[in-house]
Amino acid sequence: MELTMLMEYGWVLLLLIAIEGLLAADNALVLAIMVKHLPEEQRKKALFYGLAGAFVFRFGSLFAISFLVDVWQVQAIGALYLLFIAANHILRKLVFKKKEKDEDPNKKKSGFWATVLKIELADIAFAVDSILAAVALAVTLPNTNLPPIGGLDGGKFLVIFAGGIIGLVIMRFAANFFVDLLHKRPGLEIAAFGIVGWVGVKLTIYTLSHPELAVLPEGFAKSPEWKITFYAVLVGIAAAGWFLSKEKKEEPSEVSR
């Protein structure tokens, strides 16, 4: 690999680590909320099943997408899905936050196996989110000399594979760090899904540049101008999320009052 290609692949991998970390933290928070009503022993078992399911579904979606990644209809669905989850999450945080807080605390909770089923369904959604975000970042990378896997260049597949592994490792071992970071700076979660939405825009551009559609010129998605624009906006969203999100101060405990 040439130095410029290595740098481009390395930059995408760093972006994937950041995105996977924030997505994994959000996923970990969702799983924690799902199992918190269970007794401690059942909670541990449910989380174990959740992590096992995350592993299976993430690798399943990775190998499925490698065979379908060049189909423009799949690209279009992926782009729409990324845009949808970004808009849905940001709206829930900004518009519907109060409704979630007012939810009835006496609402009947699910049993153990019903909770496990909900976790596995959530795992499927998490896996799709993660792999689609990774694919959208990787598809415009230059091709390598590595043998293709499915319909995907070997180098691109390895970057997406690395992103999937990183997401699982973070979810298992480093989620607490990202959960604490999101707790201190809640605005970062909105920025993270803003980035997911912008990645969805990138996949949209890639889809519209597909030869079978040709809405945009075929080379536009891989042009230096678009790549510079994409990364400049992406860094801008991340910087805005960091600087505009106020650090959350710890509330005084009842004793100190």
Side-chain angles (χ1 to χ4, degrees):
M1 264 195 205
E2 297 176 2
L3 181 60
T4 52
M5 193 185 291
L6 275 173
M7 287 176 66
E8 195 168 354
Y9 270 75
W11 174 237
V12 166
L13 193 56
L14 284 174
L15 281 175
L16 276 176
I17 291 170
I19 291 174
E20 288 287 353
L22 290 165
L23 285 176
D26 189 63
N27 296 353
L29 282 170
V30 171
L31 293 185
I33 291 166
M34 282 182 167
V35 302
K36 70 179 182 179
H37 66 282
L38 295 173
E40 189 174 352
E41 280 302 312
Q42 289 190 350
R43 196 182 309 155
K44 288 178 181 176
K45 284 183 182 177
L47 286 173
F48 171 79
Y49 289 134
L51 286 169
F55 185 88
V56 171
F57 292 129
R58 194 154 301 199
F59 281 100
S61 61
L62 170 60
F63 283 97
I65 203 73
S66 70
F67 286 91
L68 299 171
V69 71
D70 224 22
V71 181
W72 74 262
Q73 290 90 340
V74 174
Q75 295 169 5
I77 291 168
L80 288 171
Y81 181 73
L82 287 176
L83 291 168
F84 168 76
I85 62 166
N88 180 57
H89 192 92
I90 291 169
L91 283 172
R92 274 198 299 112
K93 285 290 173 186
L94 296 178
V95 181
F96 305 119
K97 194 174 179 183
K98 187 177 184 301
K99 289 183 181 178
E100 288 178 3
K101 282 184 178 177
D102 294 340
E103 195 176 295
D104 183 9
N106 298 316
K107 189 177 177 181
K108 189 178 178 182
K109 304 295 182 183
S110 303
F112 175 74
W113 288 111
T115 300
V116 169
L117 177 61
K118 287 179 183 177
I119 288 173
E120 299 306 336
L121 291 173
D123 279 337
I124 294 172
F126 298 157
V128 172
D129 298 350
S130 171
I131 297 302
L132 280 176
V135 166
L137 283 170
V139 285
T140 55
L141 286 169
N143 286 334
T144 66
N145 295 323
L146 296 173
I149 299 172
L152 203 58
D153 172 80
K156 296 176 184 178
F157 181 89
L158 288 176
V159 167
I160 298 168
F161 180 84
I165 290 287
I166 288 162
L168 289 170
V169 170
I170 289 172
M171 204 166 172
R172 175 64 182 87
F173 297 107
N176 284 340
F177 167 77
F178 286 94
V179 168
D180 289 341
L181 185 63
L182 289 177
H183 180 70
K184 289 176 183 173
R185 290 183 175 271
L188 278 179
E189 191 173 353
I190 293 173
F193 278 89
I195 289 172
V196 170
W198 184 235
V199 170
V201 171
K202 183 179 184 180
L203 192 54
T204 302
I205 295 293
Y206 187 76
T207 305
L208 296 175
S209 302
H210 194 282
E212 289 184 27
L213 287 179
V215 175
L216 293 172
E218 189 176 342
F220 179 77
K222 297 183 180 181
S223 66
E225 295 83 3
W226 166 241
K227 285 185 178 181
I228 290 168
T229 302
F230 172 77
Y231 288 119
V233 172
L234 187 142
V235 170
I237 294 171
W242 180 264
F243 290 112
L244 296 179
S245 62
K246 295 178 182 178
E247 193 161 348
K248 193 175 178 183
K249 294 178 181 177
E250 293 295 327
E251 293 182 7
S253 62
E254 293 293 329
V255 176
S256 62
R257 290 177 188 175

